[in-house]
Amino acid sequence: QVQLVESGGGLVQPGGSLRLSCAASGSIFSFRGMNWFRQAPGKQREVVATITSGGNTYYANSVKGRFTISRENAKNTVYLQMNSLKPEDTAVYYCNAVPLALPASPYWGQGTQVTVSS
């Protein structure tokens, strides 16, 4: 069974940087895409960044130019590099993976807290 293990969350000052990691138990090539979601208190969960099996990337407008999603294939790991962090980036961040095989039901990590505060 696929497991996603997240790490890298924590407390950072505004303007600072943080890198989240999501390690998959299987090959990341087994997934149509991998995503980072976030959910802030009182808000709906939203997709922040996506990387497809082909390496295409997509970002929410709120993080464009500041966040970068990437992958390290040999480690079956996807990263989210977060720069120029703002207080509104504070949320629980979740790794998500959509399998290529049917049914394409996504897997989720447990979530990691990111807090941006001075």
Side-chain angles (χ1 to χ4, degrees), residues 8 15 17 23 26 41 54 57-58 62 65 68 74 80 84 90 93 98 103 109 114-115 118:
S17 298
T57 58
Y58 306 90
S62 59
T68 303
L80 184 67
S84 301
T90 296
Y93 284 71
V98 181
V114 172
T115 302
S118 60

Side-chain angles (χ1 to χ4, degrees), residues 4 10 21 34 39 41 47 62 64 68 104 111 116:
L4 304 176
S21 299
M34 297 188 70
Q39 187 167 25
V47 63
S62 59
K64 284 182 179 177
T68 303
V116 184

Side-chain angles (χ1 to χ4, degrees), residues 3-64:
Q3 291 183 323
L4 304 176
V5 180
E6 300 160 324
S7 62
L11 175 65
V12 65
Q13 294 184 346
S17 298
L18 211 59
R19 188 178 74 167
L20 306 182
S21 299
C22 175
S25 60
S27 173
I28 61 175
F29 297 111
S30 299
F31 304 111
R32 181 177 185 269
M34 297 188 70
N35 312 278
W36 286 99
F37 284 75
R38 70 184 182 187
Q39 187 167 25
K43 299 183 67 177
Q44 296 186 31
R45 187 174 297 186
E46 62 177 347
V47 63
V48 173
T50 296
I51 186 165
T52 71
S53 61
N56 298 313
T57 58
Y58 306 90
Y59 300 94
N61 288 334
S62 59
V63 306
K64 284 182 179 177

